[in-house]
Amino acid sequence: MQQEARTSNQTPFGGMPPMSGFGFSPVSIDPLGGLQADEIIDDVSAKDLAAIVGQNSAYYLPRFKAIQENPKKKIPNFSAFIFSVPWLFFRRMYLPGIAMLLANVALYLPNFFMILYGVQNPDAVQIPSVYIWANMGCTLVMWALQLVLCFWGNQIYMKYCIRLTKELKSQATSDQEFSELAQKRGGVRNVFIYIFVGLYLISSFSSFFFYV
Protein backbone atom coordinates (compact mmCIF):
# COMPACT_ATOMS: atom_id res chain seq x y z
CA MET A 1 0.00 0.00 0.00
CA GLN A 2 1.49 3.33 -1.08
CA GLN A 3 1.68 6.21 1.34
CA GLU A 4 -0.71 9.02 0.49
CA ALA A 5 1.59 11.75 1.82
CA ARG A 6 5.01 12.19 0.31
CA THR A 7 7.79 14.41 1.53
CA SER A 8 9.13 16.94 -0.94
CA ASN A 9 12.88 17.26 -1.41
CA GLN A 10 12.58 21.03 -1.75
CA THR A 11 13.15 23.29 1.21
CA PRO A 12 10.73 26.24 1.49
CA PHE A 13 12.17 29.74 1.15
CA GLY A 14 14.03 30.57 4.33
CA GLY A 15 12.81 27.40 6.00
CA MET A 16 14.70 24.65 7.73
CA PRO A 17 15.55 21.48 5.82
CA PRO A 18 13.50 18.40 6.71
CA MET A 19 14.83 16.47 9.69
CA SER A 20 14.41 12.75 10.02
CA GLY A 21 15.54 9.94 12.26
CA PHE A 22 14.99 11.89 15.49
CA GLY A 23 11.46 10.72 16.27
CA PHE A 24 9.61 13.93 15.39
CA SER A 25 8.03 15.53 12.36
CA PRO A 26 9.95 17.92 10.10
CA VAL A 27 9.65 21.55 11.19
CA SER A 28 9.98 24.57 8.92
CA ILE A 29 9.97 28.20 10.01
CA ASP A 30 8.27 30.84 7.88
CA PRO A 31 10.82 33.69 7.64
CA LEU A 32 7.97 36.13 6.97
CA GLY A 33 6.23 35.33 10.25
CA GLY A 34 2.89 34.70 8.56
CA LEU A 35 3.01 37.75 6.28
CA GLN A 36 2.69 37.55 2.51
CA ALA A 37 5.88 38.03 0.50
CA ASP A 38 4.45 41.07 -1.33
CA GLU A 39 2.93 42.62 1.79
CA ILE A 40 4.12 46.21 2.15
CA ILE A 41 5.64 47.75 5.28
CA ASP A 42 6.51 51.42 4.75
CA ASP A 43 6.96 51.02 0.98
CA VAL A 44 9.10 47.88 1.42
CA SER A 45 7.96 44.33 0.69
CA ALA A 46 8.02 41.78 3.50
CA LYS A 47 10.26 39.53 1.40
CA ASP A 48 12.92 42.23 0.95
CA LEU A 49 12.67 43.22 4.61
CA ALA A 50 13.15 39.60 5.68
CA ALA A 51 16.34 39.46 3.61
CA ILE A 52 17.68 42.47 5.52
CA VAL A 53 16.63 41.25 8.97
CA GLY A 54 18.00 37.77 8.33
CA GLN A 55 18.13 35.68 11.50
CA ASN A 56 14.85 35.65 13.46
CA SER A 57 12.93 37.58 10.80
CA ALA A 58 9.84 35.55 11.76
CA TYR A 59 9.89 37.40 15.09
CA TYR A 60 10.50 40.91 13.77
CA LEU A 61 8.31 41.17 10.66
CA PRO A 62 4.91 40.72 12.37
CA ARG A 63 5.99 43.29 14.96
CA PHE A 64 7.07 45.71 12.23
CA LYS A 65 3.65 45.28 10.65
CA ALA A 66 1.90 45.91 13.97
CA ILE A 67 3.97 49.05 14.55
CA GLN A 68 3.15 50.32 11.06
CA GLU A 69 -0.55 49.85 11.70
CA ASN A 70 -0.34 51.51 15.11
CA PRO A 71 2.83 53.65 15.51
CA LYS A 72 1.99 54.35 19.16
CA LYS A 73 1.97 50.66 19.99
CA LYS A 74 4.89 49.59 22.18
CA ILE A 75 5.97 45.96 21.81
CA PRO A 76 8.68 45.08 24.34
CA ASN A 77 11.87 43.48 23.11
CA PHE A 78 13.45 41.68 26.05
CA SER A 79 16.64 40.87 24.14
CA ALA A 80 17.20 44.60 23.69
CA PHE A 81 16.42 45.19 27.37
CA ILE A 82 18.71 42.48 28.77
CA PHE A 83 21.63 42.77 26.35
CA SER A 84 21.24 46.40 25.16
CA VAL A 85 24.70 47.23 23.72
CA PRO A 86 25.49 43.69 22.44
CA TRP A 87 22.01 43.53 20.87
CA LEU A 88 22.57 46.78 18.98
CA PHE A 89 25.93 45.63 17.62
CA PHE A 90 24.60 42.12 16.90
CA ARG A 91 21.86 43.70 14.79
CA ARG A 92 24.44 45.92 13.01
CA MET A 93 23.10 49.19 14.42
CA TYR A 94 26.58 50.50 15.04
CA LEU A 95 25.92 54.21 15.66
CA PRO A 96 23.24 53.60 18.33
CA GLY A 97 25.47 50.83 19.69
CA ILE A 98 28.47 53.15 20.04
CA ALA A 99 26.30 55.85 21.64
CA MET A 100 24.85 53.35 24.12
CA LEU A 101 28.31 51.93 24.86
CA LEU A 102 29.76 55.36 25.61
CA ALA A 103 26.76 56.19 27.79
CA ASN A 104 27.22 52.96 29.75
CA VAL A 105 30.94 53.63 30.24
CA ALA A 106 30.21 57.16 31.50
CA LEU A 107 27.43 55.93 33.81
CA TYR A 108 29.72 53.25 35.23
CA LEU A 109 32.39 55.76 36.32
CA PRO A 110 30.92 56.47 39.81
CA ASN A 111 30.92 52.74 40.53
CA PHE A 112 34.53 52.53 39.34
CA PHE A 113 35.55 55.39 41.63
CA MET A 114 33.78 53.68 44.52
CA ILE A 115 35.84 50.54 43.92
CA LEU A 116 39.00 52.59 43.53
CA TYR A 117 38.31 54.47 46.76
CA GLY A 118 37.79 51.20 48.62
CA VAL A 119 41.09 49.80 47.33
CA GLN A 120 43.06 52.95 48.13
CA ASN A 121 41.45 53.33 51.54
CA PRO A 122 41.09 49.79 52.94
CA ASP A 123 40.66 51.09 56.50
CA ALA A 124 37.88 53.51 55.60
CA VAL A 125 34.70 52.94 57.61
CA GLN A 126 32.42 54.06 54.78
CA ILE A 127 32.53 55.38 51.24
CA PRO A 128 31.83 59.12 50.83
CA SER A 129 28.14 59.75 50.24
CA VAL A 130 28.83 61.68 47.03
CA TYR A 131 30.07 58.48 45.40
CA ILE A 132 27.06 56.52 46.63
CA TRP A 133 24.50 59.06 45.43
CA ALA A 134 26.25 59.50 42.09
CA ASN A 135 26.33 55.73 41.60
CA MET A 136 22.63 55.40 42.46
CA GLY A 137 21.70 58.19 40.05
CA CYS A 138 23.78 56.73 37.22
CA THR A 139 22.34 53.27 37.85
CA LEU A 140 18.79 54.66 37.54
CA VAL A 141 19.71 56.41 34.28
CA MET A 142 21.25 53.16 32.97
CA TRP A 143 18.06 51.25 33.78
CA ALA A 144 16.01 53.99 32.11
CA LEU A 145 18.07 53.67 28.92
CA GLN A 146 17.55 49.90 28.91
CA LEU A 147 13.80 50.41 29.35
CA VAL A 148 13.84 52.77 26.36
CA LEU A 149 15.48 50.03 24.30
CA CYS A 150 12.99 47.51 25.63
CA PHE A 151 9.91 49.45 24.52
CA TRP A 152 11.32 51.37 21.53
CA GLY A 153 13.92 48.85 20.33
CA ASN A 154 11.63 47.31 17.73
CA GLN A 155 10.77 50.76 16.33
CA ILE A 156 14.46 51.70 16.17
CA TYR A 157 15.34 48.45 14.44
CA MET A 158 12.40 48.71 12.05
CA LYS A 159 13.47 52.18 10.89
CA TYR A 160 17.04 50.96 10.44
CA CYS A 161 15.97 47.93 8.37
CA ILE A 162 13.58 49.90 6.19
CA ARG A 163 16.18 52.60 5.52
CA LEU A 164 18.81 49.98 4.64
CA THR A 165 16.37 48.06 2.42
CA LYS A 166 15.50 51.19 0.43
CA GLU A 167 19.18 52.10 0.13
CA LEU A 168 20.18 48.68 -1.19
CA LYS A 169 17.17 48.47 -3.52
CA SER A 170 18.22 51.76 -5.08
CA GLN A 171 21.76 50.42 -5.61
CA ALA A 172 20.84 46.97 -6.91
CA THR A 173 20.05 46.42 -10.58
CA SER A 174 18.46 43.00 -10.05
CA ASP A 175 16.92 40.83 -7.35
CA GLN A 176 20.06 38.71 -7.29
CA GLU A 177 22.26 41.73 -6.67
CA PHE A 178 19.93 42.94 -3.90
CA SER A 179 20.08 39.49 -2.29
CA GLU A 180 23.89 39.61 -2.34
CA LEU A 181 23.95 43.12 -0.87
CA ALA A 182 21.45 42.08 1.82
CA GLN A 183 23.64 39.15 2.84
CA LYS A 184 26.67 41.42 2.97
CA ARG A 185 25.22 44.39 4.85
CA GLY A 186 22.12 43.01 6.51
CA GLY A 187 21.45 40.19 8.94
CA VAL A 188 23.46 39.86 12.12
CA ARG A 189 27.12 39.80 13.18
CA ASN A 190 27.77 36.81 15.43
CA VAL A 191 31.32 37.98 16.06
CA PHE A 192 30.04 40.61 18.49
CA ILE A 193 28.65 37.87 20.73
CA TYR A 194 32.16 36.50 21.19
CA ILE A 195 33.64 39.98 21.61
CA PHE A 196 31.25 41.00 24.39
CA VAL A 197 31.47 37.63 26.12
CA GLY A 198 35.26 37.99 26.04
CA LEU A 199 35.08 41.55 27.42
CA TYR A 200 32.75 40.39 30.18
CA LEU A 201 35.13 37.60 31.18
CA ILE A 202 38.12 39.95 31.11
CA SER A 203 36.20 42.46 33.24
CA SER A 204 35.20 39.77 35.74
CA PHE A 205 38.75 38.43 36.11
CA SER A 206 40.26 41.91 36.29
CA SER A 207 37.83 42.86 39.07
CA PHE A 208 38.80 39.71 41.00
CA PHE A 209 42.54 40.44 40.77
CA PHE A 210 41.86 44.12 41.50
CA TYR A 211 40.50 43.17 44.92
CA VAL A 212 43.21 40.54 45.53
Side-chain angles (χ1 to χ4, degrees):
M1 182 178 178
Q2 295 182 348
Q3 293 181 349
E4 293 180 1
R6 296 183 179 179
T7 304
S8 173
N9 291 326
Q10 295 181 345
T11 301
F13 167 74
M16 297 174 62
M19 303 176 67
S20 60
F22 294 93
F24 53 86
S25 300
V27 177
S28 62
I29 299 175
D30 177 13
L32 304 180
L35 275 63
Q36 299 298 318
D38 57 353
E39 199 161 345
I40 301 301
I41 301 175
D42 196 2
D43 300 326
V44 174
S45 71
K47 180 181 178 181
D48 291 338
L49 204 53
I52 294 296
V53 174
Q55 183 175 315
N56 215 13
S57 60
Y59 166 86
Y60 284 103
L61 261 63
R63 284 154 180 80
F64 291 171
K65 184 66 176 178
I67 291 169
Q68 183 199 36
E69 293 174 348
N70 183 6
K72 294 183 179 181
K73 187 173 185 178
K74 300 296 180 288
I75 305 174
N77 185 321
F78 294 106
S79 293
F81 174 71
I82 296 170
F83 300 107
S84 60
V85 174
W87 177 78
L88 288 167
F89 279 94
F90 178 67
R91 285 284 159 188
R92 291 178 177 253
M93 292 183 283
Y94 300 130
L95 288 179
I98 292 171
M100 189 70 172
L101 178 61
L102 293 176
N104 274 291
V105 170
L107 293 169
Y108 184 76
L109 286 177
N111 185 64
F112 172 78
F113 288 124
M114 284 177 59
I115 296 173
L116 187 62
Y117 181 87
V119 172
Q120 293 178 343
N121 302 274
D123 298 328
V125 177
Q126 63 180 14
I127 297 173
S129 60
V130 63
Y131 290 157
I132 297 174
W133 284 108
N135 184 57
M136 289 177 60
C138 287
T139 300
L140 289 175
V141 173
M142 191 178 297
W143 278 102
L145 288 175
Q146 289 186 233
L147 284 172
V148 168
L149 269 185
C150 178
F151 291 101
W152 279 271
N154 285 325
Q155 281 93 333
I156 295 170
Y157 187 47
M158 173 182 166
K159 289 180 180 179
Y160 165 79
C161 290
I162 289 173
R163 179 186 58 78
L164 182 58
T165 303
K166 291 178 178 179
E167 178 185 334
L168 298 186
K169 289 293 286 186
S170 66
Q171 296 176 4
T173 57
S174 64
D175 290 342
Q176 178 62 30
E177 186 178 357
F178 170 76
S179 179
E180 293 173 356
L181 289 172
Q183 289 181 1
K184 184 177 180 180
R185 296 185 55 187
V188 297
R189 288 296 301 272
N190 292 321
V191 66
F192 285 110
I193 296 177
Y194 305 114
I195 290 174
F196 281 101
V197 168
L199 290 174
Y200 174 78
L201 292 175
I202 291 171
S203 174
S204 299
F205 280 112
S206 62
S207 297
F208 172 76
F209 288 113
F210 195 53
Y211 280 109
V212 173

